[in-house]
Amino acid sequence: MRSFWRTPGGRTPDADGRRLGGRTLAGPLFRDILLVCLAVGVVGLSYGAVAVTSGFVWWFPALMGVLVLAASSEFLFVGIIAAGGSPFAALLAGLLVNARHLPFGLAVPDVLGRGWRGALGTHLMNDETVVFALAQDEPERKRAAYGLCGLGILLCWPVGAALGALLGGVVRDTGALGLDAMFPAVILALILPALKDRPLRRTALAAAALALTVTPFLPAGLPVLLALAALPLFAVKTKKDATR
């Protein structure tokens, strides 16, 4: 199994960073990945600012951004600690939110690779990288999109968090900036083309309704995890179509 670090023919990206294995990432795809990474960096500004205004030292959100690389879990961890919760409870909550990576891993096993490359590929796994990989038709393009997006987020997220930490020392009401709205907006823009498929659209709407229903009662991040309960609807519909 090849990872996103090795493509057919053993070739690596050229100077413009778009060619992998003799194939070129389409201009719109390369642009979309770049814009998403920049948007993630902007969301990182909010995370860093919130962390500092909650009492954390400036380097903490940047370090978490590199080692954890999971926005929802990091936001939740900081929020629980800021509200007076124990670090152990915050850690458990973060792990629970990141449990969504289990189905992510099952969806893109062919792009992760093995050994240390597989470990790094798993570390780069997040909503954006998985969405970009699944949107590609060819295995080679899946690996290229996954790797490029993952490395871009690995750079932009902690840098944004560090800059946000500096911003947090100046702007106290970081919620007024509305930066946290960029993350769901980016994900929605990425999945819109896939919603042309009727079974998938019905499943997504059911999942969204379920998440919205429980949002007032559950901590941040958990409603999205609970929305996975709608997946059997898509599986049942797909199975019915296949038997016709």
Side-chain angles (χ1 to χ4, degrees), residues 41-62 74-75 78 157-169 171 174 179:
V42 174
V43 177
L45 292 174
S46 177
Y47 165 58
V50 168
V52 168
T53 55
S54 298
F56 291 90
V57 294
W58 71 269
W59 51 263
F60 181 82
E74 293 175 53
F75 267 113
V78 168
W157 175 247
V159 169
L163 294 177
L166 299 178
L167 177 66
V171 180
T174 55
L179 299 178

Side-chain angles (χ1 to χ4, degrees), residues 21-210:
R23 299 294 184 87
T24 302
L25 286 178
L29 175 60
F30 186 83
R31 178 202 60 205
D32 291 345
I33 291 176
L34 177 61
L35 291 176
V36 165
C37 291
L38 292 177
V40 167
V42 174
V43 177
L45 292 174
S46 177
Y47 165 58
V50 168
V52 168
T53 55
S54 298
F56 291 90
V57 294
W58 71 269
W59 51 263
F60 181 82
L63 182 63
M64 288 273 284
V66 173
L67 298 181
V68 180
L69 198 61
S72 299
S73 295
E74 293 175 53
F75 267 113
L76 183 59
F77 182 90
V78 168
I80 291 177
I81 296 297
S86 69
F88 182 71
L91 177 61
L92 286 180
L95 289 175
L96 182 59
V97 170
N98 265 7
R100 71 185 191 281
H101 286 159
L102 293 175
F104 282 178
L106 295 175
V108 290
D110 53 328
V111 305
L112 298 179
R114 295 177 179 176
W116 68 266
R117 294 186 180 89
L120 180 58
T122 302
H123 183 61
L124 297 179
M125 183 183 296
N126 52 54
D127 305 78
E128 296 88 350
T129 56
V130 171
V131 168
F132 273 118
L134 293 179
Q136 311 309 311
D137 297 326
E138 301 175 6
E140 181 181 336
R141 289 174 60 84
K142 287 178 181 287
R143 290 190 292 269
Y146 184 96
L148 183 60
C149 183
L151 292 174
I153 290 176
L154 180 61
L155 172 65
C156 294
W157 175 247
V159 169
L163 294 177
L166 299 178
L167 177 66
V170 180
V171 180
R172 291 300 174 182
D173 185 13
T174 55
L177 300 178
L179 299 178
D180 55 330
M182 292 193 65
F183 180 72
V186 167
I187 296 299
L188 179 60
L190 289 175
I191 67 173
L192 277 178
L195 296 182
K196 295 177 181 179
D197 181 72
R198 181 173 295 180
L200 183 58
R201 182 169 63 249
R202 290 176 177 174
T203 304
L205 290 175
L210 180 59

